[in-house]
Amino acid sequence: VLLIVANPVFAAEWNLQGKISVWSWGGACLALELAGARFMEKYPDVEIEFVSMGRGDVYDKLAVGLLAGSGLPDVVSLEDDRVQSYIAKFPNGFADLTDIIAPIKDDFIQSKLMAVTSPDGRIMAFPWDAGPAGLLYRKDLFDAVGANADNVKTWDDYIDVGKRILELTGGKTKLISVDMKSDDDIFRLLMNQLGTYYFDMDGNTVIGEEKAIQAMSLLKRMNDEGVIYNRDGYGDTLTAIKGELVASIPYGAWYTGNIINSVPEQHGKWAVMRIPAFESGGNTSAMLGGSALLVTNSSQNKEVALEFAKFAMTDLEAVIEGFDKQTLLPAYLPAYDHPIFEEGEPAFGGQPIWKLFGEISEDIPPLNYTANFAEAKESVINAQARILLRGADVEETMQQLQRELKAKFGK
């Protein structure tokens, strides 16, 4: 294997050679394989091994490899909420990409770029698929109760629609799917919409302050009104959709792939609108999910790894193919000039949903995961379960949680 000593920013000018390995999961790995085929056509002396595994397996194996200093891939994908934790626990584990990305940083969704930037300002990953949130909804059911994007403007309107759908379906179809006991994804979406999160931009715990309490109070109200389908794990939402037990879900753009690929019998019955606002005229943009691409410092072919990561995330043909085949909405803004984003999506009645998601991406409030996100998340989920399943007081529970997390994390 020939290792070329070069400034990685200009690596594409060299005749790259050698083998690298890439770890990812599911559709993300398939998208990287598509980019890899293009990359190896451009650089025929490069070989890329793609290893697909579950997300949990990626995280576990990566942590073990970083601790041992061996058995690592050259390139790896991580969900955005994991990036800060990994770069904090393993400060020398990943390549600093600042010199590569800084010249093109304005070409990425800024909230995504912030998610992969270390507290000291280093850009440690390529922003990849974005998770702009929209309200995916059964248009036929909404139409049947006189609801549409023009009159569902606030969460109050939304809850009212849910009660009417319950009446229409004899109590069968709930409005929204929430995992009350083991995931706080909808709560996090609501917090981001309000411009808050577990932590503020300085890393201070704010989970017990006004906006977080407002977000949790909305979830509790939905539960009290009887419009929540209490799902049992992530996969149960799709089961509920197939069984017509759920009429809508506010989720990241990536979830549309489940409707497109797994529920053909409901194609044409779904549509997307902006998530409702907390108050008339309020913010209707938020983010949920998304991932990034990192290069490990242990790579024996770092020039190849860096150039492949850059290619996969910024080559327009590769980015568009990954979107077209795996519905991975890009964080790379120049891609949105492609006509594919103007096209209608048949599964959603021909609606140009990708154009809508692109518009939503422009106004997403920034958020700060911090290195403590994963540890805090478990405590937040437990608090949510006490509120939604046991009737605990929202304000008291969230303020007590804030005291506990501040004691644990120091601020």
Side-chain angles (χ1 to χ4, degrees):
V1 175
L2 174 62
L3 293 178
I4 302 170
V5 180
N7 184 330
V9 176
F10 302 109
E13 299 176 5
W14 295 71
N15 181 27
L16 294 180
Q17 300 181 40
K19 180 178 179 179
I20 61 171
S21 63
V22 178
W23 290 2
S24 190
W25 54 78
C29 194
L30 293 174
L32 289 173
E33 289 180 23
L34 291 171
R38 290 179 179 274
F39 189 76
M40 287 185 282
E41 183 177 350
K42 183 176 182 179
Y43 300 107
D45 293 327
V46 167
E47 180 182 353
I48 306 176
E49 177 189 21
F50 295 93
V51 181
S52 181
M53 61 186 93
R55 281 176 293 183
D57 292 331
V58 170
Y59 300 148
D60 291 345
K61 291 177 183 292
L62 184 63
V64 170
L66 288 165
L67 285 169
S70 61
L72 290 165
D74 300 274
V75 179
V76 63
S77 60
L78 292 178
E79 290 172 289
D80 287 349
D81 58 28
R82 300 280 182 151
V83 172
Q84 295 295 333
S85 175
Y86 273 85
I87 64 177
K89 291 178 181 176
F90 306 101
N92 299 312
F94 301 97
D96 182 348
L97 306 181
T98 306
D99 289 344
I100 300 174
I101 298 178
I104 55 172
K105 63 184 179 63
D106 292 340
D107 288 339
F108 292 96
I109 295 172
Q110 292 305 294
S111 57
K112 289 281 294 180
L113 193 65
M114 291 179 66
V116 299
T117 300
S118 68
D120 60 0
R122 293 175 298 136
I123 303 173
M124 300 302 296
F126 273 99
W128 187 3
D129 66 303
L135 180 64
L136 285 59
Y137 67 101
R138 278 284 298 269
K139 187 176 184 299
D140 57 333
L141 292 175
F142 273 54
D143 285 348
V145 297
N148 54 57
D150 292 326
N151 58 30
V152 181
K153 295 296 187 182
T154 68
W155 290 112
D156 288 342
D157 298 334
Y158 179 65
I159 292 171
D160 183 61
V161 170
K163 291 190 287 187
R164 283 183 272 156
I165 289 175
L166 274 176
E167 183 177 357
L168 175 73
T169 62
K172 174 185 177 181
T173 306
K174 302 283 189 176
L175 178 64
I176 181 173
S177 170
V178 177
D179 188 338
M180 298 187 193
K181 71 178 185 302
S182 49
D183 200 346
D184 68 339
D185 48 5
I186 304 299
F187 174 56
R188 285 185 280 118
L189 181 155
L190 296 173
M191 283 196 296
N192 181 222
Q193 181 184 10
L194 287 169
T196 190
Y197 222 62
Y198 297 175
F199 311 100
D200 65 16
M201 299 311 294
D202 295 319
N204 299 304
T205 304
V206 291
I207 196 71
E209 298 188 7
E210 180 182 359
K211 290 181 178 179
I213 290 172
Q214 186 180 3
M216 186 62 78
S217 295
L218 176 60
L219 270 185
K220 184 178 186 302
R221 183 181 162 207
M222 289 182 185
N223 194 38
D224 292 344
E225 295 282 6
V227 299
I228 290 180
Y229 172 83
N230 183 17
R231 73 176 187 257
D232 184 15
Y234 172 78
D236 192 35
T237 292
L238 187 57
T239 301
I241 287 172
K242 290 180 176 180
E244 302 198 334
L245 303 178
V246 172
S248 66
I249 181 168
Y251 237 32
W254 41 266
Y255 199 80
T256 58
N258 287 305
I259 307 296
I260 294 167
N261 298 320
S262 301
V263 200
E265 67 276 13
Q266 292 181 17
H267 282 186
K269 295 182 178 181
W270 285 85
V272 180
M273 69 173 81
R274 283 178 172 268
I275 58 173
F278 274 83
E279 66 286 321
S280 181
N283 176 48
T284 57
S285 292
M287 178 170 66
L288 184 66
S291 59
L293 204 63
L294 298 85
V295 174
T296 59
N297 263 335
S298 64
S299 173
Q300 297 301 301
N301 263 317
K302 191 177 289 186
E303 290 84 4
V304 176
L306 289 167
E307 189 58 31
F308 170 68
K310 181 181 179 182
F311 179 90
M313 299 296 99
T314 64
D315 179 82
L316 284 175
E317 290 185 353
V319 170
I320 293 301
E321 186 176 28
F323 163 72
D324 187 35
K325 303 296 186 184
Q326 299 299 327
T327 63
L328 295 177
L329 203 67
Y332 189 56
L333 293 172
Y336 289 95
D337 292 331
H338 194 281
I340 195 171
F341 292 99
E342 302 288 338
E343 296 176 4
E345 173 51 58
F348 287 80
Q351 181 186 0
I353 62 173
W354 309 117
K355 180 180 179 182
L356 175 59
F357 281 122
E359 293 168 353
I360 292 168
S361 296
E362 297 174 4
D363 302 313
I364 296 170
L367 57 85
N368 183 17
Y369 290 110
T370 83
N372 298 318
F373 174 84
E375 189 173 354
K377 182 180 178 183
E378 183 176 350
S379 298
V380 176
I381 291 171
N382 290 336
Q384 174 182 274
R386 290 196 299 274
I387 291 166
L388 299 183
L389 295 174
R390 300 184 216 161
D393 180 78
V394 173
E395 186 171 341
E396 180 181 327
T397 302
M398 300 308 286
Q399 290 180 348
Q400 175 60 31
L401 174 61
Q402 174 156 309
R403 288 191 290 270
E404 292 171 0
L405 294 182
K406 279 190 171 184
K408 180 179 290 187
F409 301 133
K411 61 178 185 176

